[in-house]
């Protein structure tokens, strides 16, 4: 097993449908004076209806009207539509503008995506600052990304202890990539006491949540009986699960074991 402090930040995915009472709508930093129901703006309400009916041009127009009135969720959604070129021309400048407007109002998803934007431009200090704000709003994506930045020492002093802290918060929200990374820290004893049992526990949670790397590593632990009882059947099962997701090491391992499989 290799020590891999790899990969960049994750970008917040945009859902295929919107809800007036979605989790996304409700994750707004604590303390906003106008943090009343995000659905109260009539332009926003109509825009959501238009969006879900695939009337993206009308939706974009409605979100813009609400955004210009200072409605943070509309500012965020308008930024995502500019990012994707959905209902209006793709425009990174406009996307960044509305994203920042929402982020400055404490919209956690906008803060996380603004962090990603800075990260992609190699401005790690700003990326860390905005990611930290979103993480304090309990957004699992941001907590995971903050853990990555601590792990790699990007925009902040490198600290495996801090990485483990933020991974654990995201992992507790059932975020599989964070569960996998926390397992990795336990396996190597970095930032946490070394524990094969804890590594196996977190790898299993991530594996059951569909993380291919965790599935492969759990298969490895079953193969050698580390942190779990040796079990070739379980090992083969998890490695096959990872291989079915295109995990290259798992695919190679399955081919190597082929003669032993029924």
């Amino acid at each position: 097993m290799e020590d891999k402090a790899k990969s960049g930040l994750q970008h917040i995915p945009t859902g295929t449908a919107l809800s007036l009472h979605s989790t996304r709508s409700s994750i707004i930093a604590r303390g906003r004076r106008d943090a009343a129901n995000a659905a109260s703006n009539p332009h926003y309400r109509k825009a959501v209806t238009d969006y879900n009916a695939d009337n993206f041009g009308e939706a974009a127009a409605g979100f813009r009207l609400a955004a210009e009135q200072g409605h943070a969720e509309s500012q965020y959604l308008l930024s995502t539509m500019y990012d994707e070129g959905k209902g209006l021309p793709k425009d990174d400048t406009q996307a960044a503008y509305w994203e920042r407007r929402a982020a400055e109002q404490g919209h956690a998803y906008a803060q996380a995506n603004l962090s990603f934007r800075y990260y992609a431009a190699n401005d790690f200090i700003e990326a860390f600052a905005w990611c930290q704000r979103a993480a304090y709003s309990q957004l699992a994506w941001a907590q995971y990304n903050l853990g990555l930045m601590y792990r790699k020492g990007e925009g902040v002093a490198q600290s495996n202890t801090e990485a483990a802290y933020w991974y654990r918060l995201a992992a507790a929200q059932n975020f599989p990539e964070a569960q996998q990374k926390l397992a990795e820290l336990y396996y190597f004893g970095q930032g946490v006491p070394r524990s094969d049992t804890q590594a196996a526990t977190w790898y299993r949670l991530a594996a059951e949540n569909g993380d291919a790397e965790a599935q492969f590593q759990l298969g490895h632990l079953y193969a050698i009986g580390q942190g779990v009882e040796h079990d070739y059947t379980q090992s083969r099962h998890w490695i096959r699960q990872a291989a079915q997701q295109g995990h290259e090491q798992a695919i190679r391992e399955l081919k190597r074991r082929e003669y032993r499989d029924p």
Side-chain angles (χ1 to χ4, degrees):
M1 186 180 295
E2 298 176 359
D3 180 1
K4 294 174 286 191
K6 62 181 178 61
S7 75
L9 302 195
Q10 287 203 1
H11 190 267
I12 300 296
T14 302
T16 55
L18 302 180
S19 168
L20 293 176
H21 306 287
S22 65
T23 301
R24 176 165 58 201
S25 300
S26 66
I27 300 180
I28 297 176
R30 312 306 182 257
R32 273 189 60 202
R33 285 178 300 177
D34 61 339
N37 189 349
S40 61
N41 186 291
H43 298 302
Y44 169 75
R45 292 182 67 87
K46 184 177 184 305
V48 168
T49 300
D50 286 330
Y51 188 102
N52 289 336
D54 294 339
N55 297 326
F56 298 125
E58 290 294 317
F63 286 137
R64 176 177 286 279
L65 287 171
E68 289 171 346
Q69 293 176 354
H71 190 262
E73 175 73 357
S74 294
Q75 291 168 344
Y76 165 70
L77 291 171
L78 184 60
S79 78
T80 67
M81 295 184 80
Y82 271 117
D83 254 337
E84 299 170 7
K86 181 177 285 189
L88 33 69
K90 182 176 172 60
D91 189 326
D92 290 341
T93 301
Q94 282 292 304
Y97 171 78
W98 289 109
E99 192 171 81
R100 177 174 282 277
R101 289 278 301 272
E104 287 172 346
Q105 290 201 68
H107 193 291
Y109 278 77
Q111 290 170 340
N113 277 350
L114 185 58
S115 169
F116 180 88
R117 198 177 297 276
Y118 276 116
Y119 188 91
N122 294 318
D123 187 342
F124 298 137
I125 292 175
E126 281 293 311
F128 179 85
W130 284 105
C131 189
Q132 188 176 50
R133 294 188 192 187
Y136 281 136
S137 291
Q138 313 305 316
L139 185 59
W141 280 287
Q143 292 168 340
Y144 169 70
N145 284 345
L146 203 63
L148 285 178
M149 296 189 80
Y150 269 115
R151 183 91 162 94
K152 300 166 72 177
E154 292 175 329
V156 67
Q158 197 280 336
S159 172
N160 288 328
T161 302
E162 285 292 326
Y165 172 80
W166 289 104
Y167 286 155
R168 189 183 302 279
L169 289 179
Q173 295 194 58
N174 224 27
F175 196 80
E177 290 89 341
Q179 293 168 337
Q180 183 266 316
K181 291 295 185 185
L182 185 58
E184 188 177 280
L185 292 181
Y186 272 114
Y187 186 89
F188 291 106
Q190 296 174 332
V192 291
R194 190 182 183 286
S195 171
D196 292 336
T197 302
Q198 283 292 312
T201 296
W202 287 107
Y203 275 136
R204 175 175 291 281
L205 286 170
E208 290 173 347
N209 282 322
D211 186 273
E213 177 65 17
Q215 290 168 345
F216 175 72
Q217 298 298 355
L218 184 60
H220 168 76
L221 293 181
Y222 272 115
I224 61 178
Q226 192 170 353
V228 291
E229 291 292 326
H230 171 75
D231 189 325
Y232 178 77
T233 301
Q234 282 291 305
S235 175
R236 184 180 59 189
H237 166 76
W238 288 111
I239 289 174
R240 178 174 288 136
Q241 293 295 308
Q244 288 173 350
Q245 294 197 66
H247 192 285
E248 293 182 1
Q249 286 178 279
I251 292 169
R252 289 196 298 269
E253 179 65 13
L254 272 189
K255 288 180 178 177
R256 190 181 70 81
R257 294 184 180 196
E258 206 167 43
Y259 73 97
R260 298 173 65 182
D261 289 341

